[in-house]
Amino acid sequence: MTSSSLSLDHSSAHPSAQSSGATSGLGPWSAILLLAPLTLLMLGILLYPLGLTVWTSLYDGQLSVRAYGELATSTLFLKVLRNTIEIAVTGTLVSLVFGYPVALHLAAQPPRRRTACLIMVMLPFWTSILVKSFALVAVFGNQGLLNQLLGYLSGGQVNLPMMFNRVGVVLGMINFLLPFMILSILGSLLALDRRLVLAAETMGAGALRIFWKVILPLSMPGVVAGVLINVTLSIGMYITPALLGGRQDMMVANLVDFYTRQTLDWPAASATAVVLLAISGLLVAMLGRVRGGGLPGGAA
Amino acid sequence: MTFLSASAAPASANPVSVVPTVAPAASAMVELRAVTKRYGQFEALHRIDLSIAKGEFVTLLGPSGSGKTTLLNLIAGMIMPSSGQIVIDGRDATGLPTNQRGLGMVFQNYALMPHMTVFENIAFPLQVRGLARSEIKRKVTDVLDLIQLGHVAGRRPRELSGGQQQRVSLARCIVYNPALILMDEPLGALDKKLREQMQLEIKRLHAELGITMLYVTHDQDEALTMSDRIVLMNGGRIEQEGPPDTLYFKPETVFSAEFIGSSNLIPGEVEAVENGTVTLRTALGRFPVPAPDRPVRAGEPAVLLVRPENMVLTDRPGPTGVTGRIEDSILLGGVVRHFLRCADGTTVIVQELNQPGRAGARRDDTVRAAWSVEHGRLLPPPPAR
């Protein structure tokens, strides 16, 4: 599948390259001048601290990789890393399973209705993650709406622990991830020529076969992009596990926080952050190889 | 026309019966009975009655917006009629979903699956039908040979030229031997030469396989070349139907005359009707015209049609003829077309065969163009808009 999505890429992605010709009359100096403010800003607030982090992870009186070596043998780090990957993969898969049908439904709507529905999909996307997390507690918490209802229905027998544990983290995560997954898949589905479905229908194919043989394979670029975006976003998640997770659900970003503020072990914190950055960077690089990066708004 | 009346009779005699046994002649592949399609206030199709015989090649011809594609989509089941009945192969298909109608369809943009190879594309309808793998391989290979594209079986559609893609999409249709193939302007995206080649290829396949074909086009030449019968559509109604010859030589309306072939149309008023001849008074003179089949009364408006190739430049006096100055002459290879400007401003087109050493009329000559009385055709005036 990857090879076909890549060949798709080559035929259609290139027109954008021509637009760069518009500034060619201004000369190299104006390009430097135009880019200078942002470049300086990025140097100051991104590259310098990043460099500092890498330096801290490597310098401990002298240059050494001791911090990394300690990470590799630290049960805490390995457990947290496993947690992180488990949670990220679970959240991504759940969001794929829930997101695909929504995208399919949206793609089938007439444009005006689709816009209205998309606003509903985007609403959580536009809401502060902090606000959303507290809202989730209000709904899914031990005294939340859902548990009150369950308690009322069962006469106080049932109370599902859905917050401050793994379930809570995944719930909060998919709430955050779903719009990215849906938009990414929707982009692929809308690009799909409807006449292919009509052609399959005239040949006698039923809805299920059309989905498996036509719609799903042709929407794979969107699925792959959505999955990569989701994993990338969830792997660096900090607020959600901190607010909705339990003691056992610490993720890598929370570990960095733990090292910097609780144990003041700066080399360990820096090394952890560098490892996280490397994983995310790898995923983003993979994302770049999938057609168009997926998101219509380019929010990746 | 005989088709129409023959098939419509049992339907009106017994309108509720939809079971195959009461379907009229067993030779009808498609029967449309008073099919109407409305979109809100807009009536895209108005009470269409149409019967297509088994093995027939029928073309739906008309300008864009005439309802020809709507009609095709109704038969394919992609849209549902507002009222009326659709019978396919003796079975009431009015409410049947597309995938149960047993059709084939060829699209203008080919609609090949981009993620499948040519082989997989053609195998798809066979897999739907649950054929054995060996059987599929044999059939696909056979049909690839038929369209002479065996060497591209492993390629993806986008690696093929437009003509090759359309042949693959034809092959994908004929491989499962549907009783009826619908074609929606299948050659619209091809250049002229390739289009003519494909027209012949489709005709050949039709003759060899005997599959009923319903073809949609807005190209009159394509319709004339390929069809057993042309159904000319206009504004959601059937303007006229018949063999290409009939539509060309015996148009029944000004619209038909103008849409198929080029035509000289001279409006006038009926002055007298006697002995099977109508005398028409026009701004260019009084002309005798053979009386049409429909009744005509003196005093009513009418239009005289004379095809350009039935006009001759002549000095001999006769009952017909108009005088004008040659404004332009254009050479179209085998024929020459003169544009005569008459005294009242009407332009008359005269088409002559081009012969080597033809003396020919020149530009700015004043000449007389005449026609045999029997080549004139009296048409009703176009409806007022």
Side-chain angles (χ1 to χ4, degrees), chain B residues 202-223:
Chain B
I202 292 174
K203 263 197 98 159
R204 176 175 70 90
L205 287 172
H206 175 246
E208 273 178 28
L209 305 169
I211 299 177
T212 313
M213 293 193 177
L214 183 59
Y215 193 98
V216 164
T217 183
H218 62 262
D219 182 340
Q220 45 145 324
D221 293 328
E222 205 161 280

Side-chain angles (χ1 to χ4, degrees), chain A residues 38-284:
Chain A
L38 183 63
T39 310
L40 288 174
L41 191 70
M42 293 307 271
L43 279 174
I45 66 164
L46 184 71
L47 279 180
Y48 172 68
L50 207 58
L52 207 60
T53 308
V54 176
W55 176 252
T56 312
S57 73
L58 292 171
Y59 188 77
D60 177 29
Q62 78 234 34
L63 272 180
S64 82
V65 289
R66 192 178 55 83
Y68 292 94
E70 275 173 12
L71 276 191
T73 54
S74 147
T75 1
L76 177 64
F77 174 77
L78 292 178
K79 181 172 169 7
V80 167
L81 188 64
R82 219 185 77 192
N83 266 354
T84 306
I85 291 167
E86 271 176 18
I87 292 173
V89 169
T90 313
T92 300
L93 289 182
V94 172
S95 122
L96 175 62
V97 168
F98 282 91
Y100 200 103
V102 176
L104 210 54
H105 177 74
L106 287 174
Q109 300 306 309
R112 291 183 68 130
R113 229 188 118 94
R114 186 188 309 135
T115 311
C117 295
L118 261 179
I119 289 174
M120 290 197 277
V121 171
M122 298 297 285
L123 218 54
F125 186 70
W126 292 324
T127 312
S128 152
I129 192 164
L130 211 58
V131 174
K132 280 192 291 184
S133 296
F134 285 119
L136 284 172
V137 175
V139 177
F140 293 101
N142 286 342
Q143 299 302 313
L145 286 174
L146 202 60
N147 268 326
Q148 282 186 16
L149 183 71
L150 283 175
Y152 174 76
L153 289 178
S154 64
Q157 295 302 304
V158 179
N159 190 302
L160 294 177
M162 291 178 288
M163 280 294 131
F164 314 116
N165 54 22
R166 189 58 64 86
V167 179
V169 182
V170 172
L171 269 174
M173 197 161 276
I174 58 170
N175 190 280
F176 171 69
L177 295 178
L178 261 174
F180 294 95
M181 185 63 90
I182 292 172
L183 287 180
S184 180
I185 296 172
L186 182 64
S188 264
L189 288 176
L190 290 179
L192 192 151
D193 185 354
R194 224 189 96 66
R195 278 166 294 197
L196 294 179
V197 175
L198 294 178
E201 271 177 14
T202 58
M203 288 185 273
L208 212 61
R209 182 185 295 268
I210 292 176
F211 176 76
W212 282 113
K213 295 287 178 177
V214 182
I215 295 176
L216 189 62
L218 288 173
S219 63
M220 269 331 261
V223 170
V224 174
V227 164
L228 282 176
I229 292 170
N230 271 7
V231 174
T232 312
L233 289 174
S234 50
I235 216 149
M237 203 74 104
Y238 169 73
I239 297 177
T240 305
L243 291 185
L244 305 179
R247 205 170 274 278
Q248 297 302 308
D249 306 304
M250 192 183 242
M251 291 178 69
V252 174
N254 306 104
L255 186 64
V256 175
D257 179 63
F258 173 77
Y259 282 137
T260 45
R261 296 201 307 187
Q262 312 277 323
T263 64
L264 300 179
D265 186 348
W266 293 83
S270 297
T272 309
V274 170
V275 169
L276 182 59
L277 183 70
I279 296 173
S280 301
L282 199 70
L283 288 168
V284 171

Side-chain angles (χ1 to χ4, degrees), chain B residues 35-245:
Chain B
V35 169
T36 296
K37 179 66 189 177
R38 273 181 294 270
Y39 292 104
Q41 293 290 309
F42 175 66
E43 205 169 56
L45 286 175
H46 178 80
R47 294 188 65 84
I48 300 288
D49 287 300
L50 180 68
S51 172
I52 297 167
K54 276 186 180 150
E56 204 180 5
F57 195 120
V58 174
T59 299
L60 298 176
L61 177 67
S64 45
S66 60
K68 54 189 194 306
T69 300
T70 308
L71 194 56
L72 196 78
N73 289 341
L74 277 169
I75 295 173
M78 292 170 195
I79 48 177
M80 292 294 152
S82 308
S83 64
Q85 194 187 18
I86 299 170
V87 178
I88 297 175
D89 210 2
R91 188 165 60 136
D92 182 16
T94 314
L96 218 55
T98 302
N99 58 8
Q100 287 169 32
R101 295 194 178 199
L103 310 166
M105 186 149 176
V106 177
F107 296 80
Q108 182 174 358
N109 73 339
Y110 324 127
L112 295 172
M113 307 295 167
H115 58 299
M116 299 182 189
T117 63
V118 167
F119 186 96
E120 290 166 343
N121 262 286
I122 300 174
F124 182 77
L126 301 177
Q127 286 163 350
V128 170
R129 281 159 183 75
L131 264 64
R133 195 173 286 249
S134 57
E135 181 82 352
I136 290 176
K137 189 167 165 50
R138 191 179 58 77
K139 288 201 167 200
V140 175
T141 314
D142 283 354
V143 80
L144 275 171
D145 285 344
L146 188 68
I147 57 161
Q148 292 155 20
L149 280 178
H151 57 288
V152 299
R155 293 200 207 155
R156 300 277 160 116
R158 70 179 61 242
E159 297 169 50
L160 306 183
S161 71
Q164 287 175 325
Q165 288 188 48
Q166 195 53 290
R167 270 149 78 197
V168 172
S169 110
L170 259 172
R172 183 177 64 173
C173 249
I174 58 187
V175 73
Y176 61 98
N177 204 24
L180 171 69
I181 294 184
L182 309 173
M183 303 199 193
D184 189 7
E185 309 224 5
L187 309 181
L190 305 178
D191 63 52
K192 190 169 178 291
K193 194 152 188 170
L194 201 55
R195 203 160 58 219
E196 285 168 359
Q197 201 181 316
M198 287 294 296
Q199 286 172 6
L200 294 178
E201 186 144 0
I202 292 174
K203 263 197 98 159
R204 176 175 70 90
L205 287 172
H206 175 246
E208 273 178 28
L209 305 169
I211 299 177
T212 313
M213 293 193 177
L214 183 59
Y215 193 98
V216 164
T217 183
H218 62 262
D219 182 340
Q220 45 145 324
D221 293 328
E222 205 161 280
L224 290 172
T225 311
M226 308 184 72
S227 324
D228 293 329
R229 186 155 56 109
I230 296 175
V231 177
L232 180 62
M233 308 271 306
N234 180 24
R237 289 159 201 262
I238 294 179
E239 184 82 11
Q240 191 176 348
E241 59 176 304
D245 260 7

